[in-house]
Amino acid sequence: MELPFAEPYKIKMVEPIRCSTREQRLHWIKEAGYNLFNLKSDQVYIDLLTDSGTGAMSDRQWSEIMLGDESYAGSSSYFKLKDAVTDIFGFEYFLPTHQGRGAENVLFSVLVKPGDLVPGNSHFDTTKGHIEFRQATAIDCTIDEAFDTTIEHPFKGNVDLDKLERILKINPKERIPFIIVTLTCNSSGGQPVSLENLRGVSALAKKYGIPLIYDSARFAENAYFIKVREKGQEQRTIREIVADMFSLADAMTMSSKKDGIVNIGGLIGMRSKELHQQASVYNIMFEGFITYGGQAGRDMGALARGLYEATEFEYLESRIRQVAHLGTKLTEYGIAVQKPYGGHAIFIDANKFLSHIPKEEFRAQTLAVELYIEGGVRGVEIGAIMADRDPVTRENRFPALELVRLAIPRRVYTFNHMDYIAASLANVFERKEGIRKGFTIEYEAPILRHFTVRLKRAE
Ligand code: F0G
């Protein structure tokens, strides 16, 4: 008999979670303005709001917490992390930050000015926010296949090289501070970018003399997909692939709350000494001194260790198989999800699930609320609410995809939890014709509105 797949770890500590009644959840979600971000965590049974900062650290990482050096300047924990960044990514210069958006804020303060254009692949919302906040424009050059959830393209995070070259060709070089490639692509479904595509982007960047930057939050999951899906890469180790990927980039930002498997932290890696000098000024202003950048020494030690654990094949295999298990169950139940299954999450196609609800009433948000009411499972809308308004016209933007993201925290939930989530969704799917109304907005912030929006049931 072929041995079944099982996790490459055992559980040393448990944290209780409690289920609630449907009546309680109906009450709580109304109180929360139908915004899942406004729920208290103990009102949630299985929390798939994000895979960011929600992972379980290993015993080795916890031991690094005890070894943390809390010196203000030059701590040994800083040097541990610096060595890991150079070893894994090949960047000589590095700055720690408190999380990913801190890294974006620091680096973009140096590089982005009003009127600039920043081409990339499905920029994440904070990345886009930091670009637009500086009166610059993010231009999405993701391949078209990414926007059809049914196409089985192995690298839906890929940049469309023709789209990219058109931007580079028709605009003066001075207006394009860098190209940013997101690994994996969160907003379009946790979809990876191939090594071949990264080489293509790098060639264009060189041809037009424009720096290439990676948003590296889920770089290890991206490398896993390169190993298992890209021809000629099967025999290579994850770390060899990572080294290859990053040898093409001039700099990186990273939210280490994902593939760093820590609860807080971020970093910037750079090749240029001059860029490091310029960014250090903003790092000190916004984040903290250049050898801690908003992180405790212990956090940097745990992160250094986490970067090595996240780039082990056995870990990645178990992680991505768990996500695929959930995806397979949902597919069996007839629910349309982004294919192929993403690295960190399953994305449900709410345009297909709730096609009878007008898009102006926020289909993905409506589905996320129904899933919470059904099973106490908290996912997140990646659709029109998150897409915000157009900064110029102030009209609502309706993206091609209306998705509910079920992000799976790393090393936290079991396969039984996956089955529970799938069953909850199957129940919503069965009663979907009975869901007659979506939502309208009662309150929204001028930028990144999805975090604090308050909604009411549509009339
Ligand atoms: N880039 C990507 C691709 C991300 O997914 C995130 C965060 C960031 C940058 C910003 O990093 O949160 O550490 O400041 N994504 C989280 C998520 C919030 O839920 O996907 P941060």
Side-chain angles (χ1 to χ4, degrees), residues 36 46-49 368 371-372 377-381 404-407:
L36 294 135
I46 298 179
D47 204 347
L48 309 181
L49 184 66
L371 174 60
Y372 172 71
V377 177
R378 172 158 73 169
V380 72
E381 187 251 21
V404 174
R405 183 183 74 169
L406 306 176

Side-chain angles (χ1 to χ4, degrees), residues 50 99-101 104 124 126 186 215 218 255 258 405:
T50 180
Q99 59 182 82
R101 68 200 72 183
E104 291 164 358
F124 184 65
T126 60
N186 189 355
D215 174 350
R218 299 177 183 84
S255 164
K258 286 86 171 169
R405 183 183 74 169

Side-chain angles (χ1 to χ4, degrees), residues 215-233:
D215 174 350
S216 325
R218 299 177 183 84
F219 76 98
E221 289 166 7
N222 198 105
Y224 171 86
F225 284 121
I226 289 176
K227 180 176 167 72
V228 300
R229 290 186 188 164
E230 193 161 342
K231 233 172 124 197
Q233 301 296 324

